[in-house]
Each structure stands twice: as structure tokens, then as C-alpha cells.
Amino acid sequence: MTAEAEAIEDAESDEGFVHPIFRVAPQEDSGADTLGNYRYQAEVAAQICVALLTQDSVEAVVCEWHEDFVVSYADGSVELVSVKHRGKRRNPWNVADLCKDGGLAHLFDRWRACDGLSNVRLRIATNAGLTTGKGGATTLKAMCGADPRITSGVDDMVTAVAQYFLKIRWKHPYATIPEVPQVSRLADIAIPDGFTDSVKLFFGALHIDDELPSRRHITDVNLQRLLIPAIATLQRDHVDVEATYRALIERIEQSNRDESDRGQLAVYIADPTRVLYSVQIQQRIARRRLTKATVLDTFVSSRSVVPTFARGQLPIVAPGGGNLRKKMARGRIPADEAAHAERLRSAWYVAWSQHRSGLAGDTTELANASLEVLDAVFACREQAEDEAPDGAPYGRRMNQLMARHLAPDELGVGLPFPVNGRHLRGLAYQLCDDCDFYFSDVFDPSEEEAS
């Protein structure tokens, strides 16, 4: 281990973050140089995100964690993925360029920072080809992985890559690559004891994928070969494929964006066997973590109407409801309308339970939506009171006005998932159950018997 241990706070941990790599704080990266490269990186990550829909072996994607993204597998292993796009006018990667500009030294440094754990795999993903011939990058690719296709000449390749890494270290402060004296010739670089052993182990964990689509073609490839077949496998009807893909890319890019708390954190917990987490690291991972549910949330319906219960959802009865029943009874709302209100409250409960992320942002989004809903409810109550004769019950009229005015188009509710008017009325009925408003004069529900 080469860095200070993180000060760990005891905290409840999400079982999804059990792999030790997620107890390693990533170094700071400036990211891709252009917006186009950012988009390309997101589109490569989208390939794995689509796989989440149909492959149980893939558990999650964590964006911008150590590398461009990390794939977490159900068997407890992870794969650090570095994406490199090269324009069509650039030559194929040779070994020297792959080590430097291709990010191989960077990937090696991150792997060493994770103590070279046996269940950490590595991948360089690029659209560019590889040089051929003896000692070319194609040969390096064939020497990598758990079951390499070429085993002769590996020691010479390991030595060459080790010397490239040591040369790169002269200008780039990779903490896990040792510093050696600078010399004029690559072949004269002195390799420290044990360093080639580390590089050979690195080969065993590495996969080089040089067959990605170009920036020009990757969108069409992802749509036609991945997303459309996945939607068919899931038997999802009325999915706007292109809008869904755009929403998925936007969600990935949102996870990739810099954050105010991306300051340098310590690299590793002193004892990797302890299932304890830094709260700060855990929150950062959660903001960047994409699961099957996250990807499904990006699906855009080709129908203009948002269903109250999404396909596959089971309607369940929301907890509580006693205060709502008493308030509707006091407001003289008929029993069948009161029963319908209960069903809508449950519909809201199901929608919110499924889509909430569990992060602090949920509280803000729910608070903002609740304020808008309450504003509309109070306006409905004011109109109902004005229309009712003095002293007459106005609850039923208020409820009718709520059905008319609690609509997404009228409120512009900023929830992170699509809702319809029934969802918003369900939220309103939940707020009523929470005693945020009444269908009559204020009273103490605890002293009232439900009708």
C-alpha cells in the first residue's frame, strides 16, 4: 500500500458496495479534452448499461471511479475500463503510444493502488487498431488476459512495457511507479527489483479491446445491436428508442460531471477485510452508480400518457391513511371517492418507493414537489369555500377541483421521474394524511373516529 489510510466512520453500508475497490478513493483526473470525447466515453459506458437490462452477471456501472468507469459484477469482481478514442487520421496504437497516450501506465497505476487485487480486471477500450508485427501492440494484446494466446517472448514484452512505464514516470507523478534516474536511451533504463513481476501480473489482468465503433457510428451501433434487442427481450411496449437512448446518455453524463466534493481522498482502508465505509466515499459512489433500475428509469414512453402503475409493478396498499379517512369524512366526501383517494395515495407510494435514490437529493425534490402540490391544493380549497354557502361543507367540491388542477402541465413539478395527475393527487392525499391540509376546518384527527 502506498498512501495514507482513510479515516473511516462507522456507517450503514449498502451491500452493493462491498468490493474493496470502492474503498479506494480515485485520483483526480481532468477528464477528456473535448466534449466529443466525453460523449464518446458516455456512449461506451452505455453499452454496459444496456447489458444491465438482460445480463444478471453485470451488477452496476460506476462512472468516473478510478478510470472512465468501473463495471461491477455479481460474482464480486470488477473491471476498470479506460476509453480512448482516436480519429481516423491517426495511426494505429503502437506499444509506446498505448503505454502513454493510450492510458496503459495510468491504468497500471490505478491497479497497483488497489493492491493488484486478484478480482480486479482491467480494460483499455478504443476504436483504433493496433500495430502488427513482432513486438507490436497486437502482440501485446495477445499476451494479455487470464488465457493469453501468445506465451513466447512475454518476458521481452514485459521488460519493454516496464521501461516505458518508468520513462513516463519522469514526467507524470504516478505514485505506484518507482522513480529511476533519467537516461538518454530507453534500453538503458534500470528496472528496479520486482517491478517486472508486477508488470507481468498486470498483463494477466488486462484486456485490450480495439474494436469499438468510431465516434461517428457508435450511436447507431448501440441502438441497433444493443438497445433495440434489449427492449425486445424485456418485452417492453411503446418505448421511444431514440429518446430513451438520449436520456440514458444524459444520465451517464450527469454521473460523470465534476462535483464540489471531488477533493483528494486517501487511497485505501488500512484493513481491506473490514466492511466499513467512508461516508463521503459511499455518497460519491452512489451518485455515480448506475444499476438496472437506473437504466429502466431512463425509458421514455412513445405514448403521451404516463401510466399510473408501470408494467410489472404490483399495486400495494400504502401504510397509514387513518388521518386521510377522517379528514375526508369530516369534509363530507362520499365513501367511494374516499376509497379512490386511498388507491391514489398507494399509487404515489409505489412510484416514489421505486424511483427514489436513497440520497439526500430525494428530500429536496420531494419538498419542492410538495410545496407546488400544496399551493394548488390551497387554491382549490379557497375556490371551494368561495363557492359553498356560508357554513356548508366544501370538501367534495375541493376534491373535485384537485382532480382538475393537480396535473403536471399545470404545476411543472420537478420530480426526477415522469408522473401523471393521479400520482400528484396521491402525493396530495399523502400530505393530507400527514396533516399538511384539511378538507374542512382544522381539527384533531386523533380524537375523531373514522366514518
Side-chain angles (χ1 to χ4, degrees):
M1 193 181 311
T2 58
E4 299 177 356
E6 173 76 5
I8 300 301
E9 302 176 33
D10 287 338
E12 292 185 1
S13 60
D14 186 327
E15 292 182 356
F17 303 152
V18 296
H19 195 280
I21 195 174
F22 296 123
R23 296 199 291 270
V24 183
Q27 299 174 12
E28 297 310 304
D29 284 327
S30 60
D33 294 332
T34 66
L35 182 60
N37 283 342
Y38 273 124
R39 175 54 62 94
Y40 186 75
Q41 174 186 318
E43 296 207 71
V44 175
Q47 295 180 341
I48 307 300
C49 289
V50 173
L52 287 168
L53 297 172
T54 58
Q55 297 180 22
D56 293 337
S57 60
V58 185
E59 187 177 72
V61 174
V62 181
C63 297
E64 288 283 354
W65 192 264
H66 294 283
E67 286 299 333
D68 293 326
F69 58 91
V70 173
V71 184
S72 178
Y73 294 92
D75 64 2
S77 64
V78 297
E79 184 179 39
L80 278 63
V81 182
S82 178
V83 178
K84 298 295 178 184
H85 183 273
R86 247 186 165 180
K88 62 182 180 180
R89 297 178 181 176
R90 297 289 300 273
N91 294 326
W93 296 105
N94 59 35
V95 175
D97 286 344
L98 203 58
C99 288
K100 183 181 178 182
D101 298 332
L104 210 57
H106 183 274
L107 195 60
F108 174 81
D109 182 62
R110 297 299 171 87
W111 175 73
R112 287 289 301 275
C114 301
D115 284 353
L117 293 169
S118 60
N119 55 352
V120 175
R121 300 195 298 273
L122 314 161
R123 176 153 52 108
I124 293 286
T126 180
N127 64 303
L130 306 175
T131 55
T132 59
K134 184 178 180 180
T138 300
T139 302
L140 171 61
K141 173 182 177 179
M143 291 177 173
C144 293
D147 188 19
R149 291 185 291 108
I150 294 179
T151 56
S152 62
V154 172
D155 289 343
D156 289 340
M157 182 66 77
V158 166
T159 298
V161 170
Q163 289 175 322
Y164 282 129
F165 286 173
L166 294 169
K167 180 180 179 179
I168 292 167
R169 178 66 176 83
W170 295 341
K171 294 185 178 180
H172 299 274
Y174 292 131
T176 66
I177 298 177
E179 291 187 82
V180 297
Q182 296 190 26
V183 294
S184 57
R185 294 198 319 146
L186 180 73
D188 292 336
I189 295 178
I191 302 176
D193 291 342
F195 189 61
T196 54
D197 293 336
S198 295
V199 174
K200 184 175 288 189
L201 290 173
F202 172 69
F203 278 23
L206 176 66
H207 171 68
I208 300 175
D209 177 7
D210 62 322
E211 298 179 354
L212 289 181
S214 68
R215 184 184 299 161
R216 180 180 178 182
H217 296 111
I218 191 169
T219 298
D220 288 339
V221 169
N222 286 357
L223 286 172
Q224 300 300 325
R225 298 183 187 176
L226 300 175
L227 184 57
I228 291 176
I231 291 171
T233 299
L234 294 172
Q235 297 182 331
R236 288 290 186 113
D237 299 326
H238 309 292
V239 175
D240 186 326
V241 177
E242 293 188 0
T244 295
Y245 186 73
R246 289 194 299 269
L248 175 59
I249 297 301
E250 288 172 3
R251 181 65 181 81
I252 294 169
E253 289 179 330
Q254 178 185 354
S255 297
N256 279 339
R257 292 187 185 112
D258 287 346
E259 301 164 343
S260 60
D261 66 348
R262 283 197 74 189
Q264 178 64 47
L265 305 178
V267 174
Y268 211 74
I269 287 179
D271 181 3
T273 65
R274 296 173 62 201
V275 188
L276 298 175
Y277 301 90
S278 159
V279 173
Q280 188 178 24
I281 289 180
Q282 186 176 352
Q283 290 175 343
R284 285 176 61 183
I285 294 172
R287 284 190 290 270
R288 298 167 184 271
R289 187 171 188 261
L290 306 174
T291 63
K292 180 176 181 178
T294 311
V295 178
L296 287 173
D297 283 347
T298 65
F299 275 33
V300 177
S301 175
S302 58
R303 299 179 298 184
S304 59
V305 177
V306 177
T308 303
F309 291 102
R311 183 172 180 172
Q313 284 183 344
L314 294 176
I316 59 176
V317 177
N323 290 337
L324 175 63
R325 289 189 291 273
K326 295 172 185 178
K327 291 178 178 182
M328 299 193 91
R330 177 69 74 93
R332 302 289 179 87
I333 296 173
D336 54 354
E337 293 183 25
H340 186 56
E342 285 282 5
R343 287 191 291 270
L344 296 186
R345 190 175 70 88
S346 293
W348 163 254
Y349 176 80
V350 170
W352 180 247
S353 297
Q354 182 188 35
H355 290 92
R356 62 181 303 176
S357 68
L359 300 176
D362 289 338
T363 302
T364 302
E365 288 167 340
L366 181 58
N368 288 333
S370 297
L371 288 174
E372 291 196 54
V373 167
L374 284 173
D375 277 346
V377 165
F378 292 146
C380 292
R381 185 174 65 186
E382 181 179 6
Q383 181 177 340
E385 286 183 297
D386 289 342
E387 293 177 4
D390 290 343
Y394 56 82
R396 186 178 188 186
R397 178 56 179 162
M398 175 182 170
N399 196 44
Q400 291 171 343
L401 291 169
M402 286 168 55
R404 180 186 303 172
H405 295 293
L406 286 176
D409 291 343
E410 292 202 23
L411 297 184
V413 176
L415 286 167
F417 55 91
V419 295
N420 61 28
R422 294 185 182 90
H423 292 124
L424 296 181
R425 285 159 65 194
L427 172 56
Y429 294 135
Q430 181 58 56
L431 294 171
C432 182
D433 193 56
D434 294 338
C435 291
D436 286 336
F437 72 89
Y438 295 74
F439 288 95
S440 64
D441 293 338
V442 176
F443 66 98
D444 185 353
S446 64
E447 298 178 357
E448 185 93 355
E449 290 293 332
S451 300

